[in-house]
PDB file of all heavy atoms in Angstrom:
ATOM      1  N   GLY I  17      -0.842  -2.061  -0.092  1.00 95.00           N
ATOM      2  CA  GLY I  17      -1.652  -2.964  -0.991  1.00 95.00           C
ATOM      3  C   GLY I  17      -2.974  -3.411  -0.458  1.00 95.00           C
ATOM      4  O   GLY I  17      -3.834  -2.658  -0.255  1.00 95.00           O
ATOM      5  N   ASP I  44       7.397  -1.322  -3.979  1.00 98.00           N
ATOM      6  CA  ASP I  44       7.299  -2.720  -4.398  1.00 98.00           C
ATOM      7  C   ASP I  44       7.420  -2.882  -5.877  1.00 98.00           C
ATOM      8  O   ASP I  44       7.395  -4.095  -6.330  1.00 98.00           O
ATOM      9  CB  ASP I  44       6.017  -3.398  -3.916  1.00 98.00           C
ATOM     10  CG  ASP I  44       5.697  -3.219  -2.445  1.00 98.00           C
ATOM     11  OD1 ASP I  44       6.609  -2.695  -1.746  1.00 98.00           O
ATOM     12  OD2 ASP I  44       4.673  -3.675  -1.992  1.00 98.00           O
ATOM     13  N   PRO I  55       2.744  -3.493  -8.069  1.00 98.00           N
ATOM     14  CA  PRO I  55       1.829  -4.261  -7.372  1.00 98.00           C
ATOM     15  C   PRO I  55       0.798  -3.482  -6.487  1.00 98.00           C
ATOM     16  O   PRO I  55      -0.424  -3.796  -6.608  1.00 98.00           O
ATOM     17  CB  PRO I  55       2.652  -5.166  -6.426  1.00 98.00           C
ATOM     18  CG  PRO I  55       4.059  -5.208  -7.148  1.00 98.00           C
ATOM     19  CD  PRO I  55       4.119  -3.871  -7.780  1.00 98.00           C
ATOM     20  N   ASP I  56       1.247  -2.468  -5.730  1.00 98.00           N
ATOM     21  CA  ASP I  56       0.267  -1.756  -4.950  1.00 98.00           C
ATOM     22  C   ASP I  56      -0.714  -0.942  -5.691  1.00 98.00           C
ATOM     23  O   ASP I  56      -1.864  -0.752  -5.421  1.00 98.00           O
ATOM     24  CB  ASP I  56       1.022  -0.898  -3.865  1.00 98.00           C
ATOM     25  CG  ASP I  56       1.545  -1.888  -2.790  1.00 98.00           C
ATOM     26  OD1 ASP I  56       1.271  -3.040  -2.832  1.00 98.00           O
ATOM     27  OD2 ASP I  56       2.242  -1.384  -1.833  1.00 98.00           O
ATOM     28  N   ILE I  59      -3.192  -3.304  -7.047  1.00 98.00           N
ATOM     29  CA  ILE I  59      -4.179  -3.839  -6.008  1.00 98.00           C
ATOM     30  C   ILE I  59      -5.197  -2.854  -5.764  1.00 98.00           C
ATOM     31  O   ILE I  59      -6.367  -3.116  -5.731  1.00 98.00           O
ATOM     32  CB  ILE I  59      -3.362  -4.289  -4.746  1.00 98.00           C
ATOM     33  CG1 ILE I  59      -2.492  -5.545  -5.125  1.00 98.00           C
ATOM     34  CG2 ILE I  59      -4.265  -4.451  -3.642  1.00 98.00           C
ATOM     35  CD1 ILE I  59      -1.499  -5.869  -3.996  1.00 98.00           C
ATOM     36  N   TRP I  74      -5.072  -9.719  -4.536  1.00 98.00           N
ATOM     37  CA  TRP I  74      -4.179  -9.163  -5.609  1.00 98.00           C
ATOM     38  C   TRP I  74      -4.604  -9.871  -6.980  1.00 98.00           C
ATOM     39  O   TRP I  74      -5.223 -10.936  -6.872  1.00 98.00           O
ATOM     40  CB  TRP I  74      -2.697  -9.257  -5.443  1.00 98.00           C
ATOM     41  CG  TRP I  74      -2.191 -10.539  -5.001  1.00 98.00           C
ATOM     42  CD1 TRP I  74      -2.146 -11.022  -3.660  1.00 98.00           C
ATOM     43  CD2 TRP I  74      -1.844 -11.661  -5.769  1.00 98.00           C
ATOM     44  NE1 TRP I  74      -1.661 -12.328  -3.689  1.00 98.00           N
ATOM     45  CE2 TRP I  74      -1.539 -12.720  -4.955  1.00 98.00           C
ATOM     46  CE3 TRP I  74      -1.680 -11.866  -7.203  1.00 98.00           C
ATOM     47  CZ2 TRP I  74      -0.988 -13.932  -5.413  1.00 98.00           C
ATOM     48  CZ3 TRP I  74      -1.236 -13.035  -7.661  1.00 98.00           C
ATOM     49  CH2 TRP I  74      -0.932 -14.143  -6.766  1.00 98.00           C
ATOM     50  N   PHE I  96       6.878 -15.155  -9.436  1.00 97.00           N
ATOM     51  CA  PHE I  96       5.919 -14.148  -9.227  1.00 97.00           C
ATOM     52  C   PHE I  96       4.650 -14.359 -10.148  1.00 97.00           C
ATOM     53  O   PHE I  96       4.767 -14.477 -11.413  1.00 97.00           O
ATOM     54  CB  PHE I  96       6.519 -12.771  -9.646  1.00 97.00           C
ATOM     55  CG  PHE I  96       5.749 -11.563  -8.935  1.00 97.00           C
ATOM     56  CD1 PHE I  96       5.712 -11.408  -7.616  1.00 97.00           C
ATOM     57  CD2 PHE I  96       5.183 -10.637  -9.852  1.00 97.00           C
ATOM     58  CE1 PHE I  96       5.084 -10.282  -7.002  1.00 97.00           C
ATOM     59  CE2 PHE I  96       4.490  -9.519  -9.223  1.00 97.00           C
ATOM     60  CZ  PHE I  96       4.419  -9.351  -7.811  1.00 97.00           C
ATOM     61  N   ASN I  97       3.517 -14.542  -9.540  1.00 97.00           N
ATOM     62  CA  ASN I  97       2.359 -15.125 -10.318  1.00 97.00           C
ATOM     63  C   ASN I  97       1.643 -13.945 -11.017  1.00 97.00           C
ATOM     64  O   ASN I  97       0.797 -13.219 -10.393  1.00 97.00           O
ATOM     65  CB  ASN I  97       1.388 -15.776  -9.367  1.00 97.00           C
ATOM     66  CG  ASN I  97       2.036 -17.157  -8.869  1.00 97.00           C
ATOM     67  OD1 ASN I  97       2.387 -17.966  -9.523  1.00 97.00           O
ATOM     68  ND2 ASN I  97       2.403 -17.098  -7.513  1.00 97.00           N
ATOM     69  N   LEU I  98       1.839 -13.908 -12.304  1.00 98.00           N
ATOM     70  CA  LEU I  98       1.167 -12.924 -13.086  1.00 98.00           C
ATOM     71  C   LEU I  98       0.192 -13.537 -14.000  1.00 98.00           C
ATOM     72  O   LEU I  98       0.490 -14.375 -14.848  1.00 98.00           O
ATOM     73  CB  LEU I  98       2.197 -12.102 -13.998  1.00 98.00           C
ATOM     74  CG  LEU I  98       3.194 -11.205 -13.179  1.00 98.00           C
ATOM     75  CD1 LEU I  98       4.287 -10.708 -14.088  1.00 98.00           C
ATOM     76  CD2 LEU I  98       2.527 -10.141 -12.418  1.00 98.00           C
ATOM     77  N   ASP I 102      -3.975  -9.789 -15.970  1.00 98.00           N
ATOM     78  CA  ASP I 102      -3.096  -8.878 -15.272  1.00 98.00           C
ATOM     79  C   ASP I 102      -1.954  -8.452 -16.134  1.00 98.00           C
ATOM     80  O   ASP I 102      -1.458  -7.387 -16.170  1.00 98.00           O
ATOM     81  CB  ASP I 102      -2.584  -9.570 -13.955  1.00 98.00           C
ATOM     82  CG  ASP I 102      -1.848  -8.748 -13.002  1.00 98.00           C
ATOM     83  OD1 ASP I 102      -2.067  -7.430 -12.994  1.00 98.00           O
ATOM     84  OD2 ASP I 102      -1.045  -9.116 -12.128  1.00 98.00           O
ATOM     85  N   GLU I 158       9.663  -7.879  -3.193  1.00 98.00           N
ATOM     86  CA  GLU I 158       8.835  -8.948  -3.619  1.00 98.00           C
ATOM     87  C   GLU I 158       9.561 -10.266  -3.559  1.00 98.00           C
ATOM     88  O   GLU I 158       8.816 -11.353  -3.379  1.00 98.00           O
ATOM     89  CB  GLU I 158       8.413  -8.647  -5.153  1.00 98.00           C
ATOM     90  CG  GLU I 158       7.447  -7.503  -5.175  1.00 98.00           C
ATOM     91  CD  GLU I 158       6.052  -7.621  -4.487  1.00 98.00           C
ATOM     92  OE1 GLU I 158       5.677  -8.670  -4.082  1.00 98.00           O
ATOM     93  OE2 GLU I 158       5.414  -6.616  -4.401  1.00 98.00           O
ATOM     94  N   PHE I 161       9.151 -11.352  -0.025  1.00 97.00           N
ATOM     95  CA  PHE I 161       7.704 -11.452   0.332  1.00 97.00           C
ATOM     96  C   PHE I 161       7.092 -12.724  -0.344  1.00 97.00           C
ATOM     97  O   PHE I 161       6.503 -13.546   0.313  1.00 97.00           O
ATOM     98  CB  PHE I 161       6.962 -10.228  -0.019  1.00 97.00           C
ATOM     99  CG  PHE I 161       5.512 -10.189   0.375  1.00 97.00           C
ATOM    100  CD1 PHE I 161       5.179 -10.148   1.728  1.00 97.00           C
ATOM    101  CD2 PHE I 161       4.478 -10.151  -0.556  1.00 97.00           C
ATOM    102  CE1 PHE I 161       3.854 -10.154   2.232  1.00 97.00           C
ATOM    103  CE2 PHE I 161       3.158 -10.168  -0.184  1.00 97.00           C
ATOM    104  CZ  PHE I 161       2.911 -10.056   1.263  1.00 97.00           C
ATOM    105  N   VAL I 162       7.288 -12.835  -1.760  1.00 97.00           N
ATOM    106  CA  VAL I 162       6.689 -13.896  -2.466  1.00 97.00           C
ATOM    107  C   VAL I 162       7.507 -15.012  -2.696  1.00 97.00           C
ATOM    108  O   VAL I 162       7.294 -16.179  -2.275  1.00 97.00           O
ATOM    109  CB  VAL I 162       6.211 -13.237  -3.873  1.00 97.00           C
ATOM    110  CG1 VAL I 162       5.605 -14.461  -4.713  1.00 97.00           C
ATOM    111  CG2 VAL I 162       5.220 -12.190  -3.710  1.00 97.00           C
TER     112      VAL I 162
HETATM  113  N1  FO1 H  30       1.519 -11.946  -3.883  1.00 67.65           N
HETATM  114  C1  FO1 H  30       1.803 -13.121  -3.486  1.00 67.65           C
HETATM  115  O1  FO1 H  30       1.828 -13.479  -2.324  1.00 67.65           O
HETATM  116  N2  FO1 H  30       2.218 -14.020  -4.574  1.00 67.65           N
HETATM  117  C2  FO1 H  30       2.283 -13.585  -5.869  1.00 67.65           C
HETATM  118  O2  FO1 H  30       2.678 -14.487  -6.737  1.00 67.65           O
HETATM  119  C3  FO1 H  30       1.883 -12.304  -6.156  1.00 67.65           C
HETATM  120  C4  FO1 H  30       1.854 -11.883  -7.511  1.00 67.65           C
HETATM  121  C5  FO1 H  30       1.367 -10.630  -7.762  1.00 67.65           C
HETATM  122  C6  FO1 H  30       1.152 -10.161  -9.063  1.00 67.65           C
HETATM  123  C7  FO1 H  30       0.648  -8.805  -9.387  1.00 67.65           C
HETATM  124  C8  FO1 H  30       0.368  -8.010  -8.268  1.00 67.65           C
HETATM  125  O3  FO1 H  30      -0.106  -6.826  -8.591  1.00 67.65           O
HETATM  126  C9  FO1 H  30       0.551  -8.414  -7.002  1.00 67.65           C
HETATM  127  C10 FO1 H  30       0.991  -9.639  -6.644  1.00 67.65           C
HETATM  128  N3  FO1 H  30       1.124 -10.161  -5.389  1.00 67.65           N
HETATM  129  C11 FO1 H  30       1.547 -11.433  -5.177  1.00 67.65           C
HETATM  130  C12 FO1 H  30       0.863  -9.215  -4.298  1.00 67.65           C
HETATM  131  C13 FO1 H  30       2.199  -8.433  -3.883  1.00 67.65           C
HETATM  132  O4  FO1 H  30       3.180  -9.173  -3.695  1.00 67.65           O
HETATM  133  C14 FO1 H  30       2.022  -7.799  -2.446  1.00 67.65           C
HETATM  134  O5  FO1 H  30       0.757  -8.020  -1.849  1.00 67.65           O
HETATM  135  C15 FO1 H  30       2.342  -6.402  -2.367  1.00 67.65           C
HETATM  136  O6  FO1 H  30       3.448  -5.968  -3.008  1.00 67.65           O
HETATM  137  C16 FO1 H  30       2.423  -5.938  -0.937  1.00 67.65           C
HETATM  138  O7  FO1 H  30       1.653  -4.824  -0.828  1.00 67.65           O
END
Side-chain angles (χ1 to χ4, degrees):
D44 300 1
D56 285 355
I59 289 167
W74 49 269
F96 200 65
N97 294 293
L98 295 172
D102 191 22
E158 294 294 351
F161 188 65
V162 176

